Amino acid sequence: MTSQRNISEFILLGLSYDQSIQIFCFVIFLLCYVALLAGNLLILISIRCSPLFHQPMYYFLIHLSLIDICYTSTVTPKLIGDLLVERKIISYDNCMLQVFTMHFFGGIEIFILTAMAFDRYAAICKPLHYVIIMNRTRCNLLVLAAWAGGALHSFPQLSMTIQLPFCGPNEIDHYFCDIFPLLKVACTDTYIIGVLVVANSGMVALVTFIVLSVSYGVILFTLRNLSAEGRRKALSTCWSHITVVILFFGPSIFIYLRPPITLPEDKIFALFYTIIAPMFNPLIYTLRNSEMKKAMRKVWCPSVFSKEACN
């Protein structure tokens, strides 16, 4: 298919037409974005400046925080700015860039979460071999594989989208550029492309979710062999991971693993994996993690930590 288009921009219809709702959403999402940046930067700096950086779980967590910042920054600043203007415009080139970066960083996040699940499996199910299995070289390879996986996922998505001809309507019923809303305004039969998107995005999300569910199922089954203290510590970590997986994969599967149509609910569900999940990740990974809280106190309140250590 040869790309043909006579439009240079798209109009995003956003979350709501109501001005008062838009102002309310502006305040809420601005606070969410600031909290997201602060929380993830706090985790990133705290781990990088503490001995936790040399532990595989926290090594992956620092990459997850970095990806969360990049991922949500492809959408949220534009969304916040658009809530203050009547006409929400995005150029064709920026729209294609948004499609690519969303799927690129989203793909990396999926594979980082998979690497974190593998790390927990090795730590709980293979404790005697954990240091050998999760050495720094293997951790680096898993992170590199996550970036490669994100690229392999996103480039076909961009390639299919950039070939779509747009010759008429340019209104996208969403608050960011995604493939299904773009298929709706393309002036060609998009059935095959829609099936390919489901096979790519939908199946990647579903298969990864199944793998993660089985992994955590095995981990939880193995916990019965641990001591009460060991079970408590392992459960605290695993439930944090499981919560993040559900928040991210549930809405993603709902949107991408179905016939290529758009629903009014899509915009609400998309908020979960573009803003809500990345915002809650720092809270989920720190509130019940004593090592993380200790590292944060040591990095940000060294005098207080020293007094506590002396006592």
Side-chain angles (χ1 to χ4, degrees):
M1 185 190 302
T2 303
S3 176
Q4 297 176 353
R5 61 184 175 90
N6 58 7
I7 60 173
S8 59
E9 63 187 25
F10 294 101
I11 299 173
L12 300 171
L13 299 185
L15 291 170
S16 173
Y17 296 105
D18 191 298
Q19 188 65 33
S20 59
I21 293 178
Q22 290 192 58
I23 296 297
F24 175 77
C25 289
F26 169 79
V27 174
I28 294 297
F29 293 140
L30 180 61
L31 293 175
C32 287
Y33 187 55
V34 171
L36 184 153
L37 292 177
N40 281 290
L41 285 172
L42 184 67
I43 285 183
L44 199 152
I45 296 170
S46 298
I47 294 176
R48 189 65 187 86
C49 298
S50 74
L52 291 182
F53 180 70
H54 302 289
Q55 297 184 32
M57 184 179 83
Y58 298 101
Y59 178 70
F60 292 131
L61 182 55
I62 201 174
H63 284 280
L64 181 66
S65 293
L66 176 63
I67 294 303
D68 274 340
I69 292 172
C70 296
Y71 179 58
T72 196
S73 295
T74 64
V75 171
T76 310
K78 171 69 175 166
L79 167 62
I80 293 171
D82 283 346
L83 289 168
L84 295 178
V85 298
E86 184 176 348
R87 202 160 182 260
K88 304 162 180 54
I89 297 173
I90 184 169
S91 69
Y92 175 86
D93 291 338
N94 286 339
C95 183
M96 295 301 109
L97 179 63
Q98 200 172 63
V99 169
F100 172 75
T101 52
M102 275 287 297
H103 286 272
F104 179 60
F105 291 119
I108 296 172
E109 177 143 352
I110 285 175
F111 296 119
I112 290 290
L113 290 172
T114 306
M116 295 176 76
F118 177 70
D119 170 70
R120 290 301 84 201
Y121 170 81
I124 295 171
C125 300
K126 306 285 184 182
L128 298 179
H129 303 93
Y130 177 68
V131 176
I132 298 173
I133 295 172
M134 298 305 298
N135 58 63
R136 183 45 62 97
T137 301
R138 181 159 291 160
C139 290
N140 288 334
L141 288 174
L142 287 171
V143 170
L144 183 62
W147 282 80
L152 288 174
H153 165 69
S154 57
F155 275 110
Q157 306 282 65
L158 176 64
S159 177
M160 288 185 291
T161 308
I162 213 165
Q163 293 184 66
L164 290 172
F166 299 100
C167 50
N170 66 337
E171 291 187 344
I172 299 176
D173 189 15
H174 216 303
Y175 62 89
F176 67 92
C177 285
D178 202 5
I179 298 180
F180 282 168
L182 285 169
L183 292 180
K184 192 174 180 180
V185 298
C187 51
T188 187
D189 183 4
T190 58
Y191 176 78
I192 298 299
I193 295 178
V195 171
L196 292 174
V197 171
V198 172
N200 187 335
S201 297
M203 291 309 297
V204 165
L206 179 64
V207 170
T208 308
F209 180 72
I210 291 173
V211 170
L212 292 174
S213 299
V214 171
S215 300
Y216 285 116
V218 172
I219 290 171
L220 294 175
F221 181 76
T222 306
L223 289 180
R224 76 191 198 285
N225 299 322
L226 300 181
S227 64
E229 178 62 23
R231 270 199 306 271
R232 186 196 64 77
K233 186 176 180 181
L235 276 173
S236 177
T237 304
C238 286
W239 282 124
S240 299
H241 291 208
I242 292 169
T243 303
V244 170
V245 166
I246 292 173
L247 277 175
F248 187 84
F249 282 93
S252 300
I253 291 172
F254 172 80
I255 288 178
Y256 292 109
L257 194 66
R258 68 173 194 226
I261 58 173
T262 57
L263 300 174
E265 297 83 6
D266 287 353
K267 290 183 276 190
I268 305 301
F269 277 92
L271 289 173
F272 278 90
Y273 59 82
T274 56
I275 299 176
I276 296 174
M279 181 186 68
F280 278 111
N281 280 357
L283 291 174
I284 292 169
Y285 282 113
T286 56
L287 284 181
R288 299 181 63 185
N289 190 320
S290 58
E291 288 184 328
M292 192 68 223
K293 287 188 283 190
K294 183 178 178 182
M296 289 168 66
R297 285 198 301 269
K298 190 174 181 180
V299 171
W300 299 101
C301 306
S303 58
V304 175
F305 180 81
S306 298
K307 290 179 182 178
E308 290 180 355
C310 292
N311 294 334

